[in-house]
Amino acid sequence: MKRKISKITSFLLFIATVFVMFSCDKEEGKTDESSLAAIDETPKGNVNLISENTQGIYVLCEGLYGHFNSALDFYDTQTKTYIQDAFNQINAIGLGGTANDMIKVGDWLFIVVTDDAMVRVVNSKNMNVYKRFQIVNSQGVNRQPRHLVHYNGNVFVSCFDGTVVKINVNTMKIDGVLSTQGRNPEGIAINNGKLFVANSGGLGYPNYDKTVSVIDAATFTLEKVIEVGENPTQIQIFGNDVYVLSMGDYSKLPLLTKISATNYDVVDTMSIKATEIKVYGNYLYYFYKDYAQNEISLSKMNLTTMQQETFADVPKEMKMPYKISITDDIVYITDAKDYTTSGIVFAFDLNGVLQYQIKTSLNPNTVIVR
């Protein structure tokens, strides 16, 4: 627990002064920033490094905080060839600092790069750069973009300054900014046309936020603020339910809160041994590291019966499970090791059988199949 907390603490202390500036300019409601069009980018490196017909996975890696060495790696699943920092080789530029999230929208990868106040748009077929959005406020201050979700031609970005930024994919322009009326938004998800945003309050330790904001995606207006456990960080969707993971102050087990997406009522709250969650099919997949016992568990929960069970045996090489991505019936669990050395991606089938593992750049967090 100490290593993980120290990493989070150093991050929060570094941007605490920035937060003071944010609070002076925080939107009370929706702001029109439609003039903020994306900036064109041109690849200048080995643009043909990855063939458009090559099968494989992209691995987004945060890098070491403060070193601006995030990376986008590529693994060729046919030849078993791994290319570390392929993004840099292809584009002759670095990805930036602390790349927190990545989603695929059509032929594009949208990548949040927090420390550089931007969302990069990259060609998903060959990793060539295309556009760059500056995610800043009216004074040019970094909004600290964190996570992404796509819905109906728009990409919505949660930002640590208390806002959600709306990007129109067709026009490649920012269509507006909306306050969540909460502090330091993290996880963001969409259900039945409504955005659910977890307001962590991570900069306010020990006074965390404990709310989830509900935003109508079509009108881009705030509908409701729901109270959950302290320090909510992640949100997942299952049917008409919304699952929120709240980390509290990290001294006890996190809480999993179930919210009805129909009437926004809190249906249930339970303690859970989970530090990362992901819904796929009828299951919630999650992992947990018990620092006191130095034990790792890889688990899943049937969301129909709420029965919990072991998902997979923990590989002996796994030290610090970090994030989960699931696609095409493969569960990718990334391992940050000690946060300063090369990470690992472990690929399991849905039965928990390890298919392969690959060495990555620093702090891998998101896997996408191309």
Side-chain angles (χ1 to χ4, degrees):
M1 176 66 75
K2 290 182 180 180
R3 285 178 175 168
K4 186 166 187 177
I5 290 177
S6 65
K7 184 185 182 220
I8 295 171
T9 301
S10 64
F11 171 75
L12 298 181
L13 288 174
F14 181 83
I15 63 174
T17 55
V18 177
F19 177 72
V20 174
M21 289 184 286
F22 285 155
S23 62
C24 296
D25 187 59
K26 185 175 178 180
E27 290 82 352
E28 293 302 321
K30 185 163 51 177
T31 302
D32 181 14
E33 299 193 6
S34 57
S35 61
L36 297 180
I39 301 167
D40 291 334
E41 292 198 306
T42 304
K44 297 180 180 179
N46 184 1
V47 296
N48 298 314
L49 180 64
I50 300 174
S51 169
E52 293 189 2
N53 298 319
T54 304
Q55 296 181 15
I57 61 174
Y58 292 125
V59 182
L60 184 66
C61 302
E62 291 179 18
L64 187 61
Y65 175 69
H67 286 64
F68 293 85
N69 59 347
S70 295
L72 184 56
D73 299 352
F74 181 75
Y75 177 61
D76 186 324
T77 52
Q78 293 176 308
T79 65
K80 314 300 181 187
T81 302
Y82 196 87
I83 307 174
Q84 288 195 352
D85 205 2
F87 179 90
N88 196 334
Q89 297 183 52
I90 291 169
N91 299 292
I93 54 175
L95 183 59
T98 315
N100 266 310
D101 198 8
M102 173 174 65
I103 60 173
K104 187 174 184 292
V105 181
D107 291 334
W108 309 112
L109 297 173
F110 283 74
I111 304 172
V112 161
V113 187
T114 302
D115 298 343
D116 285 280
M118 67 180 173
V119 171
R120 270 206 153 104
V121 186
V122 177
N123 191 315
S124 66
K125 296 180 180 179
N126 52 25
M127 213 188 285
N128 286 195
V129 290
Y130 175 58
K131 300 279 188 179
R132 181 180 79 249
F133 290 93
Q134 291 302 123
I135 311 298
V136 296
N137 67 15
S138 58
Q139 271 103 42
V141 177
N142 186 355
R143 290 190 181 279
Q144 295 284 334
R146 302 291 290 174
H147 294 285
L148 306 158
V149 70
H150 170 248
Y151 177 73
N152 198 26
N154 297 292
V155 169
F156 297 91
V157 189
S158 66
C159 300
F160 230 43
D161 72 336
T163 63
V164 171
V165 173
K166 179 183 178 183
I167 296 174
N168 187 307
V169 175
N170 297 317
T171 63
M172 287 293 174
K173 289 185 177 181
I174 293 176
D175 270 356
V177 178
L178 180 69
S179 171
T180 67
Q181 300 300 310
R183 293 181 286 121
N184 314 134
E186 287 274 11
I188 182 170
I190 188 83
N191 193 335
N192 295 326
K194 310 297 181 181
L195 294 167
F196 291 80
V197 188
N199 300 307
S200 70
L203 291 179
Y205 171 83
N207 180 29
Y208 292 108
D209 203 329
K210 51 182 178 180
T211 60
V212 170
S213 297
V214 184
I215 297 169
D216 183 271
T219 61
F220 202 42
T221 54
L222 182 68
E223 288 198 352
K224 190 176 179 66
V225 177
I226 306 167
E227 186 169 314
V228 293
E230 289 189 338
N231 193 12
T233 59
Q234 299 169 54
I235 297 185
Q236 291 289 296
I237 304 299
F238 178 69
N240 288 321
D241 296 320
V242 178
Y243 287 88
V244 182
L245 184 67
S246 299
M247 301 306 297
D249 63 0
Y250 302 96
S251 66
K252 50 191 174 184
L253 287 181
L255 295 177
L256 184 68
T257 301
K258 179 180 178 181
I259 299 172
S260 168
T262 304
N263 55 24
Y264 309 148
D265 287 344
V266 172
V267 177
D268 192 18
T269 299
M270 60 182 289
S271 297
I272 187 171
K273 289 187 174 182
T275 49
E276 179 76 11
I277 60 174
K278 192 72 67 176
V279 168
Y280 189 79
N282 292 326
Y283 285 89
L284 180 76
Y285 293 82
Y286 55 99
F287 59 70
Y288 183 74
K289 179 160 184 177
D290 185 327
Y291 288 85
Q293 302 297 324
N294 194 28
E295 294 179 350
I296 298 170
S297 57
L298 308 179
S299 308
K300 64 180 182 180
M301 178 191 297
N302 186 318
L303 293 176
T304 302
T305 64
M306 302 305 289
Q307 181 177 350
Q308 301 179 56
E309 59 186 275
T310 298
F311 164 60
D313 294 332
V314 179
K316 63 180 181 179
E317 298 88 354
M318 184 177 286
K319 303 300 181 184
M320 191 69 64
Y322 196 45
K323 300 290 181 179
I324 304 176
S325 299
I326 309 177
T327 185
D328 294 344
D329 292 346
I330 297 295
V331 180
Y332 301 96
I333 299 180
T334 70
D335 184 358
K337 294 296 185 182
D338 60 1
Y339 302 111
T340 62
T341 56
S342 297
I344 294 179
V345 169
F346 297 91
F348 300 87
D349 66 19
L350 295 182
N351 294 317
V353 178
L354 183 63
Q355 302 299 295
Y356 61 87
Q357 62 187 63
I358 46 179
K359 186 178 179 180
T360 72
S361 296
L362 295 178
N363 299 324
N365 62 27
T366 308
V367 176
I368 287 181
V369 176
R370 72 187 299 270

